[in-house]
Amino acid sequence: MRPVSHRIPVEGRQDSSAFALAICLLVFVIGTASGFPLGVALVATAIGLAPFAIRFCMGHPFLLCLGFVAFSFFRLHEVFPVLLPLRIPQLLAIPTLGVIAWHALGSKALKPFLSRELVWFGAFFLLVTIGVPFATDRPTAIAYWTATYVKIGIMTLAIAWLVRKPGDFLLFMRVMVLAGVAVAAVALQNKAQGIGLVEGTRVTIGRDIGSVLGDPNDLSLVLLFPLSFAVGMTVSPTGRLDRTIGLLGSAAIIAAIIATQSRGGLLGMVAVFGTVGWRLVKNKMLLVTIGLIGLAILFAAAGISSRASGGAHEEGIDESAMGRIYAWEAAIKMATQRPLTGVGLDNFVPNYFFYSDHWDGMNHAVHSTWFGVLGETGLPGLIVFVTMIAVTARSLLRTLPRIAPGPETAPVRAAGLGLLSGVAGFCLSGTFLTQGFTWPVYVLVALSAALSRSANPVRDLQIRILATPIKNHSKSDT
């Protein structure tokens, strides 16, 4: 006799969940209508919904990770201040880490792996971590490591291990582009209304609440990241909807970057489009000519010549460029005097006074990824960091040709093209923007590792299909 199963069918479980959810909402409505305080009703409803939230998070770790990355990177709660009281990044952080730990150590559903990109990332993360206790301003280094950098490290591995299917790549690109469009829309609105402008013309977001996006250079950096995915979706056969999202997203993000008047952001845009064009346009001379003309048009459209700093009214090397040169000199001195560990994570600005020969009463940012890494992690850190970027770029260049063309692999090809152009944009804009210890480069590394991992089964499948002999069962062969 077959044993009786006590497992509830899937349909039954779904019906039970829907019924319980309806009961929770009904309790909330009755409670508020009968005079209970709103806070008590919300707490009671939250307790009732907690099991469903936990079940959803356990079943969809990638969505939870994606939401955490979107809010942490794009600072959506600062872009829309109405979300600030909800503390969404903090609410997402603990369950995200818990779910990842459970699936990695408990259920074993998360399959960890190592690639060359992740190995070099691990080496750089280790060097940064070792340098924290040796930082000149140890509390500042510890605060940044615990509040930001350790989360970036964990999420880098989580993204690489959770992104598996073409649908995951497509969803990631959609979320990044739509989040970038949201930030761009607020930036353009601020520009139109004259809110939070720096130097009278450069747009920012959340400057009054101390947001990271309150610096136009950092804002352009945040917008540059989704631009590469938007362009990849536009030129790849991922479907009409995704092409529309990519095209409209590209237009909105380009307009917002122009509004920041960031020269590093404009150069990053040129690198993104140049990389995509280099792989699609056969006439390279025509591409270079179009690129130079486009760069001139971008600088003119951004009104760089009218900037209060770095504008055409300044003769010779402008004040903004000289400030960068002075900061780079300070970074070299930091690495010279502390060659093994540098001054420590997030310690460049506090140490500027002690290493600069051109003190003007203010500490300045380094305004360069490469010199920032050099000054804060020393020469070993810079070597490992550059190697990590080079290995990532090489992996993408080797992976893209291995992805067989077709509608099933279109999202993977779009992601690969977006990642490659994103690395190019990072390398060029990173010369003038500080992004060595922020999200973009590590997300690029993580997705590159996931892409190279997922491309091998696609390639193996194509090889097996092509190598399978076609059997002919006609009588003439018998």
Side-chain angles (χ1 to χ4, degrees):
M1 180 182 293
R2 180 178 298 176
V4 178
S5 175
H6 297 282
R7 301 179 69 181
I8 302 175
V10 175
E11 293 79 3
R13 292 199 300 268
Q14 291 176 346
D15 293 341
S16 300
S17 299
F19 178 74
L21 181 61
I23 291 296
C24 289
L25 296 178
L26 182 62
V27 169
F28 171 74
V29 173
I30 295 175
T32 53
S34 59
F36 279 91
L38 180 60
V40 176
L42 287 173
V43 171
T45 305
I47 293 174
L49 294 175
F52 304 101
I54 294 174
R55 179 181 174 184
F56 178 83
C57 293
M58 289 297 181
H60 303 84
F62 175 63
L63 294 180
L64 194 63
C65 175
L66 187 56
F68 178 76
V69 171
F71 272 90
S72 299
F73 175 58
F74 290 98
R75 314 300 297 175
L76 295 177
H77 55 294
E78 296 173 353
V79 175
F80 303 99
V82 68
L83 300 177
L84 278 174
L86 300 179
R87 298 184 179 276
I88 295 178
Q90 291 85 344
L91 291 176
L92 289 174
I94 295 177
T96 300
L97 298 178
V99 168
I100 291 173
W102 166 251
H103 283 295
L105 304 176
S107 69
K108 306 294 185 180
L110 191 64
K111 303 297 183 181
F113 68 89
L114 286 178
S115 64
R116 292 185 178 89
E117 303 98 319
L118 295 181
V119 168
W120 283 103
F121 158 73
F124 183 69
F125 185 88
L126 181 62
L127 286 176
V128 173
T129 303
I130 292 175
V132 168
F134 298 99
T136 56
D137 187 352
R138 193 176 302 128
T140 298
I142 293 175
Y144 190 86
W145 191 90
T146 55
T148 303
Y149 199 67
V150 68
K151 297 176 184 177
I152 292 177
I154 295 173
M155 287 303 147
T156 299
L157 297 177
I159 293 171
W161 295 341
L162 287 173
V163 179
R164 302 173 182 176
K165 306 183 297 294
D168 295 336
F169 288 99
L170 186 58
L171 179 60
F172 193 96
M173 290 189 294
R174 287 174 176 173
V175 172
M176 293 298 105
V177 173
L178 292 177
V181 169
V183 176
V186 174
L188 294 174
Q189 182 181 13
N190 287 354
K191 178 70 173 180
Q193 298 179 357
I195 299 174
L197 299 182
V198 176
E199 300 175 1
T201 56
R202 307 182 66 188
V203 69
T204 64
I205 296 177
R207 190 171 180 82
D208 55 333
I209 60 176
S211 172
V212 175
L213 305 181
D215 184 286
N217 292 318
D218 291 332
L219 176 57
S220 68
L221 165 63
V222 169
L223 291 169
L224 191 62
F225 179 73
L227 177 63
S228 60
F229 293 114
V231 175
M233 292 171 64
T234 302
V235 301
S236 299
T238 53
R240 183 177 300 176
L241 174 62
D242 293 302
R243 281 191 169 184
T244 302
I245 293 175
L247 183 61
L248 296 179
S250 298
I253 294 171
I254 289 172
I257 292 178
I258 290 175
T260 65
Q261 294 184 322
S262 170
R263 289 176 289 193
L266 296 179
L267 291 175
M269 286 172 51
V270 173
V272 168
F273 284 102
T275 303
V276 174
W278 193 267
R279 299 189 67 87
L280 299 180
V281 179
K282 295 182 179 180
N283 192 331
K284 307 305 181 185
M285 184 60 66
L286 175 63
L287 178 65
V288 172
T289 303
I290 294 176
L292 293 176
I293 296 175
L295 181 61
I297 294 174
L298 285 175
F299 270 72
I304 298 296
S305 60
S306 63
R307 275 179 44 172
S309 63
H313 60 279
E314 298 183 14
E315 299 180 359
I317 301 179
D318 58 70
E319 181 181 353
S320 177
M322 286 306 304
R324 279 184 166 84
I325 294 175
Y326 296 153
W328 298 349
E329 291 177 352
I332 294 174
K333 289 186 177 181
M334 293 176 189
T336 302
Q337 297 185 22
R338 300 172 63 91
L340 296 180
T341 62
V343 296
L345 181 64
D346 199 34
N347 266 236
F348 181 90
V349 174
N351 281 276
Y352 182 83
F353 169 80
F354 303 102
Y355 293 92
S356 176
D357 296 331
H358 304 278
W359 175 251
D360 60 356
M362 294 178 57
N363 285 325
H364 295 276
V366 64
H367 290 297
S368 171
T369 296
W370 319 110
F371 285 102
V373 171
L374 175 64
E376 294 186 355
T377 63
L379 188 59
L382 178 63
I383 293 174
V384 174
F385 184 81
V386 172
T387 305
M388 178 183 70
I389 302 300
V391 168
T392 300
R394 183 188 178 195
S395 174
L396 291 169
L397 290 172
R398 297 179 63 182
T399 300
L400 272 173
R402 295 206 304 256
I403 303 174
E408 297 82 6
T409 59
V412 182
R413 291 184 63 83
L417 190 58
L419 288 171
L420 186 60
S421 62
V423 171
F426 166 82
C427 291
L428 187 54
S429 65
T431 305
F432 306 99
L433 300 176
T434 308
Q435 47 184 323
F437 304 98
T438 55
W439 284 94
V441 60
Y442 303 101
V443 176
L444 293 173
V445 170
L447 288 176
S448 171
L451 186 75
S452 62
R453 179 78 169 184
S454 65
N456 287 327
V458 172
R459 178 175 180 266
D460 294 341
L461 177 61
Q462 295 296 324
I463 291 176
R464 285 198 299 269
I465 292 175
L466 294 175
T468 302
I470 301 176
K471 296 182 179 180
N472 192 339
H473 298 285
S474 62
K475 294 183 179 180
S476 60
D477 293 334
T478 59

